[in-house]
Structures are given as C-alpha cells and as structure tokens.
Amino acid sequence: MLRFFTRKILIFVFSLFFVTSLTFFLMKSIPGDPFLQEKFIPKEILDSLRAHYGLDQPLLIQYGKYMKGIVTWNLGPSFVYEGRTVNEIIGEGFPVSALLGLEALFLSLFFGILFGSIAAMKKGSKTDHFFSIFALIGISVPSFLLATLLQYLFALKLGLFPIARWGTFLHTVLPAFALAAMPTAFIAKLVRVNLIEVLQQDYIKMAYAKGLSSVQIVMRHALRNAMLPVLAYLGPLMAQILTGSFVVEKIFGIPGLGQWLILSISNRDYTLILGLTIFFSFLLMSIIFAIDLVYEWVDPRIRLNHSSKSRIGE
C-alpha cells in the first residue's frame, strides 16, 4: 500500500509539473499579448507595461519566477482585469463551478445507477429498450445543444426556470441537467451491462432460492460489484463535467471558472489562462488520485495483486 501510494504521489507531481511547463511554453509561443488589443497605445507605454509585468525578461527567467509563484500559490495579477489577481478570480469563480459540478455529478450517479438497474432487472423488455434508446440519445447529443434545447423548452416556452444568470437554486437546474445528460447515459449503460453479468452469478441464484426479492438482491448483493466499473469511470466523468462546464457556463451566463477561462483565452490574459489551466489540472489529478485509492480499497483483488508483486520483488 505504501509503495502504491508513493508511486501515485510521484506520478501526480510529475504530471502537474509537465502540464504546467507545457502550458507556459505554449502560451509564450503564441504571437501577441493582451496589451495589443488596446488601440492607439504608444510604443513607450507598451514597453512600460511589459516591463511592469516582467514580459521583457528572458523566457527562462519568466519561467523560473512563475514556477516559484506556483509553489507559493501566487499565480500573479491578471493582465486584463486591472487590480485583480488570478487567485482572487479563482476564489470567486470556483465555488460556483463546484456547486454546479457537484449537482451534475449527483444527478449523473443517481439517475445513471437508477436507470441502469431498472434496465438490467427488466432485460429484454420494453422498459429496457426505452432506457437503451435514452442512453444512446444522451451520449450522442452534445451538452451545448442540450443546454440550448432546455433553455428554449423549459425557460422560454414553459417558463418553469430562469433562462440564464446565477442566483437561486432554480438557476442551477437547467445547466446541471445539461452537464449531467451524457454522463448519466454512460453510467446507465455501464451499470446495465455489469449488473446483468453479476445477476448471473451463483451467489445471486442462491439469494433467489432463499426467497429474496429482485430489489433486495440488487440493492444488497449485486449492485456493489456492478459499481466497480462506475467507480473507475469517475475520473473521466469529472473531466467531462469540467470541460463541458466551459461552454454550458457561457451559454447560461454563469460566473464560474469555465466562463473565466473562455474570456481569458479571447483576451490573451496569459496569467489567467495559466492559472486556470493549472488549477483545473490540479483539481482533476487530485480527483483521479483519490479515486485510485478508493478503488484499491473497495476491490480486494487490487490489494492482493500489489501484495503478490511486492513479495515476488522481495
């Protein structure tokens, strides 16, 4: 376990270092800078601005200073939004994105497991076919198209929810469902396929022989084993929710980190782009790291595999 934990930590640190370095040098290779968007600025003022933000220094010196700032979690000032730092923008936008992401995650897991379980228990029936068609549509329709359709139907036509902006719980419903649709469909397919396989095992047949109902068997015995692939999917699921939120937040006018990232790219705000990219990378890698630990704890076969390898190495 200690060896596994140490290896994961080293991979985490190296991956974050690689993403940070690659993003920094890619940003520096793009021509232009945020100050060139302003028209009719004299060359002397542009030079003064670049000197103020350290853009006139050699590239390696800029890289060293930026890496030092990351270690101290000082991501620097925004080039476009005067008087604001990247840390402040992240602190302002992250709670919004986190709330939306957690709501979408809850919806994905709840409805995905529910629909997948029902489809598995009703294998071959009309209910199973209905959920299969639903899953196919959910996987095929992109989040930005679904977000637009939800706005048109439930906000403009029916008037049940606000069309955009952020404030109350009702403002979160449509964007959360837009983000959750594709993961819900994928989880439902995973649960259905794996639950059908688990329900054919001998211990499940024994449970039926004891007189337990289908719901009791699924809830008490079968669902836990069928959930292992879903647990492994949580890492890519969080990546889908994070990347999908960029466009969804823009469509619904939500002041989260996704909208800030889109604005920073269009404004060539280097420090904000770098800071948000690093923060998203750190967040996603932390989630994957935690899921790996939980997966090893849940599945005893992984622990036995690591223990056998350790004994062989010794």
Side-chain angles (χ1 to χ4, degrees):
M1 182 65 181
L2 180 60
R3 183 176 298 180
F4 173 80
F5 182 80
T6 304
R7 182 168 60 88
K8 288 295 182 180
I9 286 289
L10 291 176
I11 294 175
F12 177 89
V13 173
F14 176 78
S15 300
L16 188 61
F17 172 78
F18 177 78
V19 169
T20 302
S21 301
L22 181 62
T23 305
F24 178 87
F25 288 110
L26 283 177
M27 287 302 306
K28 293 299 180 180
S29 66
I30 299 176
D33 59 53
F35 309 121
L36 293 178
Q37 297 188 56
E38 301 294 336
K39 297 182 179 180
F40 310 115
I41 295 182
K43 182 178 180 302
E44 293 78 8
I45 296 179
L46 288 176
D47 292 339
S48 177
L49 286 172
R50 293 191 180 101
H52 175 72
Y53 289 106
L55 299 180
D56 60 337
Q57 297 178 348
L59 185 60
L60 290 180
I61 293 179
Q62 295 184 46
Y63 174 71
K65 289 184 176 180
Y66 192 78
M67 295 301 291
K68 180 181 178 181
I70 292 176
V71 173
T72 59
W73 197 240
N74 180 15
L75 301 177
S78 168
F79 289 171
V80 174
Y81 303 99
E82 186 176 356
R84 305 202 65 185
T85 65
V86 177
N87 295 61
E88 292 174 350
I89 293 175
I90 291 177
E92 176 184 309
F94 176 66
V96 176
S97 295
L99 177 61
L100 182 61
L102 289 174
E103 190 172 337
L105 178 63
F106 172 79
L107 292 174
S108 302
L109 291 173
F110 178 79
F111 287 107
I113 295 171
L114 177 64
F115 295 162
S117 300
I118 295 174
M121 295 168 62
K122 302 289 185 179
K123 178 185 175 183
S125 66
K126 293 183 179 179
T127 303
D128 183 21
H129 296 320
F130 170 79
F131 283 122
S132 297
I133 295 173
F134 166 80
L136 180 62
I137 295 174
I139 294 174
S140 304
V141 178
S143 58
F144 68 87
L145 179 59
L146 181 60
T148 306
L149 292 175
L150 291 176
Q151 280 183 322
Y152 176 77
L153 180 60
F154 292 99
L156 288 178
K157 289 297 183 180
L158 300 178
L160 298 176
F161 300 98
I163 190 171
R165 299 303 173 189
W166 187 262
T168 64
F169 172 75
L170 292 178
H171 289 85
T172 70
V173 175
L174 295 184
F177 272 100
L179 282 175
M182 184 183 296
T184 298
F186 197 85
I187 291 174
K189 289 182 68 68
L190 276 178
V191 172
R192 178 189 178 275
V193 171
N194 288 280
L195 191 55
I196 289 175
E197 181 179 350
V198 171
L199 289 174
Q200 296 174 353
Q201 301 298 318
D202 291 337
Y203 74 94
I204 297 296
K205 296 178 182 178
M206 182 64 69
Y208 275 113
K210 291 180 179 180
L212 296 178
S213 65
S214 298
V215 175
Q216 289 177 320
I217 291 172
V218 170
M219 296 300 295
R220 294 181 183 180
H221 303 287
L223 192 57
R224 178 179 178 181
N225 291 330
M227 283 294 294
L228 290 176
V230 177
L231 185 61
Y233 172 63
L234 285 181
L237 169 60
M238 291 304 301
Q240 288 182 17
I241 290 177
L242 285 175
T243 55
S245 68
F246 299 164
V247 180
V248 171
E249 286 182 9
K250 185 66 175 177
I251 292 174
F252 285 94
I254 298 173
L257 292 183
Q259 183 171 251
W260 278 110
L261 183 60
I262 293 177
L263 291 173
S264 66
I265 293 173
S266 61
N267 293 331
R268 294 182 181 272
D269 195 342
Y270 291 160
T271 52
L272 188 53
I273 295 174
L274 285 168
L276 291 175
T277 302
I278 293 166
F279 181 76
F280 277 123
S281 300
F282 176 80
L283 184 63
L284 182 58
M285 291 177 190
S286 300
I287 293 171
I288 294 175
F289 176 75
I291 290 172
D292 286 341
L293 295 179
V294 173
Y295 194 84
E296 185 186 15
W297 175 73
V298 170
D299 192 349
R301 293 170 296 180
I302 298 178
R303 296 198 297 272
L304 292 174
N305 188 32
H306 284 299
S307 299
S308 62
K309 287 182 179 179
S310 300
R311 287 194 295 267
I312 291 173
E314 294 173 356

